[in-house]
Amino acid sequence: MRTQRGHGKPRGLGKVLGGLCGLLLLCVSARASVAVLLEQPYGKLGIFDAAGHSAIYLDHVCAASPTELRPCREGELGVVISRYDGIGHHDWLAMPLMPYLYAVDSADEIPATMDKATEVTIRDAYRRAHLEAVAPDTADGKAPDGNWYELVGAAYDRAIYGFSVRSTAEQDAKLIALFNDRKNVERYNGFFVNCADFSRTTINSFYPHAVRRNFIGDLGITSPKSVARGLAHYSTKHPDVGLQVFLIPQVKGDLPRSHAAQGVTEGILKRYGVPLVVLSPETTAAVFVAYVGQGRFSMPKNAVVLDLHDEAARAFLDGEPTADFVMKASGGVEKPASLRTVSVVGMPNGSN
């Protein structure tokens, strides 16, 4: 089944890994979309690291370079953009979808499994080929220190949930102009100018006031989970945005498995609940009320799983979706992902 892509640009539905958003629709025509990526945390946890990472995926916007955006050409897969700390003194960087997930340029190159040594090698090979401008070699020709590794191979370290909504050609063009014209100078702050704040403000440029800071459930700190929660809640009031949810699984292998992202009050309760009860029962009660009232959000069940190692998934991405694959990828649920209800827990009085 071949389809026409939005913006008047012919494109097979499967040639859009930039289907990641449009792929999840079993409709006659593909569409432009913008998605919040909620990336699970992994590795040793600091006080706020249980939040994971947040990024934005656009299926009709591509990267002319890591610091410049442009409209996609036929056959291109779209771009992931996010705010980073300590990569070339830039505030945001843009990566094509495939290398962002797997540090390769095509699905045929994706390893079936991954271990630490291979991950280091494949990431550095991509850096040397494409990212010297933002992560140059050291004087002795080795890979630099810093967080550049976050730009490539994200799916080796963690599973990624996507929450996508519709976009238009006009919105995409406005975003390209906005990002290309403004200064791209590092301003990262883990509390109030973090990766989730970047996702929040970017989504709000498409849908004003769709995602707000959660001063109760997250104590005013924007977390990746709160951005997904806010967008999911917004979609219940505005079903025309066409919210869809998908899951990109972590690549199998020897690397530690990622785990569920947590909001601020959720993380405090799960990690420090017992000591807090001993030290201050009143504080514990206040945090618990904040979490229950404004912080709970469960990842949607039966999200379509996009696993490129599956031959059926490859066929789906090549533009030949089958009902069998959709049922398999969504845990046997017969109706398309676009018709499922996102599970949003604990949002009284319509607040987000």
Side-chain angles (χ1 to χ4, degrees):
M1 180 179 72
R2 294 288 170 183
T3 62
Q4 287 283 338
R5 200 178 179 207
H7 300 185
K9 185 164 58 173
R11 198 173 188 187
L13 182 63
K15 288 196 183 288
V16 192
L17 182 52
L20 281 176
C21 309
L23 281 176
L24 306 179
L25 290 173
L26 289 184
C27 54
V28 176
S29 62
R31 56 152 212 204
S33 56
V34 54
V36 170
L37 300 183
L38 172 55
E39 306 185 7
Q40 292 187 338
Y42 65 96
K44 296 181 179 179
L45 299 179
I47 189 167
F48 290 113
D49 290 343
H53 182 66
S54 182
I56 293 291
Y57 168 62
L58 300 112
D59 64 354
H60 279 59
V61 176
C62 284
S65 75
T67 58
E68 184 179 0
L69 303 178
R70 61 168 174 77
C72 287
R73 304 186 185 101
E74 182 178 354
E76 292 183 311
L77 309 179
V79 69
V80 176
I81 54 177
S82 185
R83 171 174 288 143
Y84 297 96
D85 177 24
I87 307 179
H89 303 292
H90 298 293
D91 182 45
W92 61 268
L93 291 164
M95 287 296 298
L97 181 61
M98 186 69 75
Y100 180 79
L101 294 177
Y102 305 109
V104 297
D105 290 317
S106 69
D108 292 339
E109 300 175 272
I110 300 173
T113 63
M114 183 53 60
D115 57 65
K116 187 60 180 179
T118 305
E119 181 186 44
V120 170
T121 299
I122 196 172
R123 278 178 167 159
D124 192 48
Y126 191 90
R127 180 194 62 83
R128 292 176 185 276
H130 302 286
L131 296 175
E132 286 279 359
V134 295
D137 291 343
T138 60
D140 57 3
K142 296 181 180 180
D145 294 329
N147 296 325
W148 64 267
Y149 67 89
E150 296 180 17
L151 298 173
V152 284
Y156 298 136
D157 290 323
R158 49 182 153 204
I160 301 171
Y161 279 90
F163 297 76
S164 78
V165 291
R166 294 186 178 95
S167 68
T168 66
E170 293 74 20
Q171 288 173 321
D172 289 345
K174 181 179 178 181
L175 179 131
I176 290 171
L178 175 67
F179 275 62
N180 287 347
D181 290 344
R182 76 186 189 189
K183 290 184 178 179
N184 188 359
V185 179
E186 183 177 353
R187 51 196 294 262
Y188 182 91
N189 176 292
F191 290 95
F192 301 114
V193 191
N194 59 34
C195 62
D197 287 303
F198 177 90
S199 293
R200 174 177 58 82
T201 56
T202 302
I203 286 294
N204 287 345
S205 72
F206 287 83
Y207 295 99
H209 311 298
V211 182
R212 301 183 179 93
R213 288 188 187 276
N214 189 335
F215 287 96
I216 298 176
D218 282 318
L219 308 181
I221 300 170
T222 307
S223 68
K225 196 170 184 179
S226 72
V227 178
R229 180 180 185 270
L231 185 59
H233 175 75
Y234 181 82
S235 73
T236 64
K237 291 185 175 181
H238 305 274
D240 55 300
V241 304
L243 179 72
Q244 304 163 70
V245 184
F246 57 88
L247 171 63
I248 303 166
Q250 183 179 1
V251 174
K252 297 177 182 179
D254 296 335
L255 292 172
R257 301 294 90 184
S258 63
H259 43 87
Q262 299 174 5
V264 176
T265 54
E266 179 183 12
I268 291 173
L269 287 172
K270 289 184 176 179
R271 299 170 64 198
Y272 305 110
V274 173
L276 272 178
V277 169
V278 175
L279 294 174
S280 177
E282 294 82 3
T283 300
T284 307
V287 173
F288 178 77
V289 170
Y291 167 63
V292 171
Q294 295 287 311
R296 289 187 299 169
F297 179 61
S298 300
M299 291 300 100
K301 297 179 180 179
N302 297 316
V304 169
V305 178
L306 299 181
D307 185 352
L308 301 190
H309 304 118
D310 190 321
E311 290 184 7
R314 294 286 185 93
F316 188 78
L317 293 173
D318 278 339
E320 300 295 337
T322 67
D324 288 344
F325 168 70
V326 174
M327 288 183 66
K328 176 182 177 181
S330 58
V333 177
E334 295 185 7
K335 59 184 178 179
S338 57
L339 300 181
R340 296 195 200 108
T341 301
V342 174
S343 173
V344 181
V345 182
M347 293 193 296
N349 302 321
S351 65
N352 67 347

